[in-house]
Amino acid sequence: MILDTIVLENFGVYGGRQEATLTPEAGKPIILFGGMNGGGKTTLLDAVQLAFYGPKARLSNRSRLGYRDYLRQSIHRGADPAEGAGITLRFRRLLDGVTRQFELRRYWREGVKGIEETIQVWRDGEPDDIFTEHWDEAIEAYLPSGIAHLFFFDGEQIKDLAEGTHTSEILGTAIHSLLGLDLVDRLESDLKLFERRKKAEGLDPEAAQQLAQ
């Protein structure tokens, strides 16, 4: 896969429409982004992962926020939430032995019922309904989200990978995710959450609030 262009619209620190060319030139295979802290370097990488993986993306500033809450907070502070924000990725990849041009658009806005998200995929300049409807499955089959952090990371992580202090841990986590070996851990977490919710349903509002605290 070769990333050609990324377009950010009112995403994070990027107000308005900002476009960056990512296509490497002949003899210049590296595209370098530099800037001061808070300038948007990590946000740019977050945008790539968010466009590809949506709620499965590993995002630097999401913390414990729910996905919809994160989308709401990621709309540029100077933008109208009703107009929302968006990310467009243009990239190339081999499909059945032929290089195809793709354009992936992920948009969201604050609607009457909360955050409304839209995903659209174009292939070779034409809307592709199959890829649009099944994008989550398509990207997971091509580049699983569990190993995406081995490909999309900022310069601050290169030191950790190079020194090898956390390399085994990073690779171990990636392999577990890729093979689905982390399923039991996820199931345990989900069951604990389900148990707390069921307990809260049988309590009066005051007790439920105390339990939540």
Side-chain angles (χ1 to χ4, degrees):
M1 176 188 292
I2 301 294
L3 302 181
D4 289 315
T5 308
I6 185 170
V7 180
L8 307 180
E9 298 180 55
N10 290 318
F11 177 67
V13 298
Y14 295 92
R17 186 181 187 279
Q18 309 292 333
E19 181 172 344
T21 300
L22 306 176
T23 309
E25 299 179 8
K28 299 179 179 180
I30 296 176
I31 305 295
L32 180 65
F33 290 86
M36 301 293 289
N37 289 341
K41 302 185 299 297
T42 301
T43 302
L44 189 66
L45 281 173
D46 283 345
V48 174
Q49 291 208 55
L50 180 60
F52 277 141
Y53 300 108
K56 293 183 179 180
R58 295 191 178 191
L59 305 168
S60 63
N61 58 349
R62 180 176 173 181
S63 187
R64 295 180 178 272
L65 283 175
Y67 181 59
R68 301 289 175 180
D69 292 330
Y70 172 80
L71 291 181
R72 181 179 292 106
Q73 291 195 12
S74 67
I75 298 175
H76 184 68
R77 67 180 61 183
D80 183 359
E83 294 183 2
I87 304 168
T88 300
L89 271 177
R90 301 186 185 100
F91 59 93
R92 290 169 276 153
R93 59 158 288 197
L94 282 175
L95 193 63
D96 298 327
V98 179
T99 300
R100 301 293 187 182
Q101 304 284 339
F102 285 87
E103 182 171 307
L104 168 65
R105 300 180 185 177
R106 187 183 294 270
Y107 288 88
W108 61 95
R109 57 183 292 275
E110 185 75 55
V112 178
K113 298 182 179 180
I115 291 294
E116 301 172 353
E117 185 184 30
T118 302
I119 301 174
Q120 296 175 314
V121 181
W122 274 256
R123 183 173 64 166
D124 295 332
E126 297 291 336
D128 192 305
D129 294 337
I130 301 298
F131 270 99
T132 295
E133 185 176 354
H134 301 284
W135 175 252
D136 291 342
E137 295 92 333
I139 190 62
E140 281 293 331
Y142 183 70
L143 182 60
S145 58
I147 61 173
H149 61 290
L150 297 178
F151 301 89
F152 303 113
F153 55 87
D154 58 29
E156 295 175 356
Q157 294 174 273
I158 294 178
K159 183 173 180 291
D160 289 336
L161 290 172
E163 292 181 345
T165 306
H166 304 290
T167 303
S168 60
E169 179 183 349
I170 293 172
L171 291 175
T173 301
I175 292 173
H176 274 69
S177 300
L178 178 62
L179 299 179
L181 300 179
D182 60 341
L183 182 62
V184 175
D185 294 332
R186 297 203 311 268
L187 178 60
E188 182 180 10
S189 300
D190 292 343
L191 286 174
K192 287 181 179 178
L193 178 60
F194 178 73
E195 182 182 16
R196 287 197 297 268
R197 288 178 178 175
K198 296 302 291 184
K199 287 181 178 179
E201 289 177 1
L203 300 176
D204 61 78
E206 184 177 352
Q209 184 178 4
Q210 292 177 355
L211 178 62
Q213 292 176 351

